[in-house]
Amino acid sequence: MAEQPIICDTKPLALEVEAGIHWWCSCGRSGHPPFCDGSHKGTGLQPLKYEVTEKKTVWWCQCKHTANPPLCDGSHKTLPKVADS
């Protein structure tokens, strides 16, 4: 059974990307979010291939709860608030 993804942030990341294939980190363990760096190995989670046809700004989901991965759909607004340590 796959582990649960880790929430990287409770807001999306707007990032301009070049045309091409990008691999979105779906596990939340990457050291280079929002992109996969292989840290998912052993979790049962896999990165998501996302193709961009032209240079543009993408609003990447960082909470990992979007219904439209890898794009933010506002799901972070419904997550429980966590108190700062």
Side-chain angles (χ1 to χ4, degrees):
M1 183 172 186
E3 295 180 24
Q4 291 295 312
I6 295 171
I7 296 171
C8 296
D9 204 341
T10 55
K11 60 185 176 298
L13 174 63
L15 188 63
E16 186 174 64
V17 293
E18 297 292 333
I21 295 173
H22 304 275
W23 292 91
W24 176 69
C25 169
S26 66
C27 73
R29 291 162 177 81
S30 175
H32 304 285
F35 305 113
C36 177
D37 68 0
S39 296
H40 63 276
K41 289 183 175 72
T43 66
L45 299 167
Q46 297 296 318
L48 179 74
K49 181 180 177 181
Y50 184 69
E51 188 166 2
V52 177
T53 57
E54 61 187 33
K55 184 176 181 177
K56 68 177 185 175
T57 299
V58 175
W59 289 84
W60 301 94
C61 171
Q62 294 287 81
C63 77
K64 312 303 178 188
H65 286 78
T66 181
N68 189 30
L71 307 176
C72 177
D73 68 356
S75 293
H76 59 276
K77 295 176 185 174
T78 65
L79 297 175
K81 300 291 182 206
V82 178
D84 291 333
S85 302

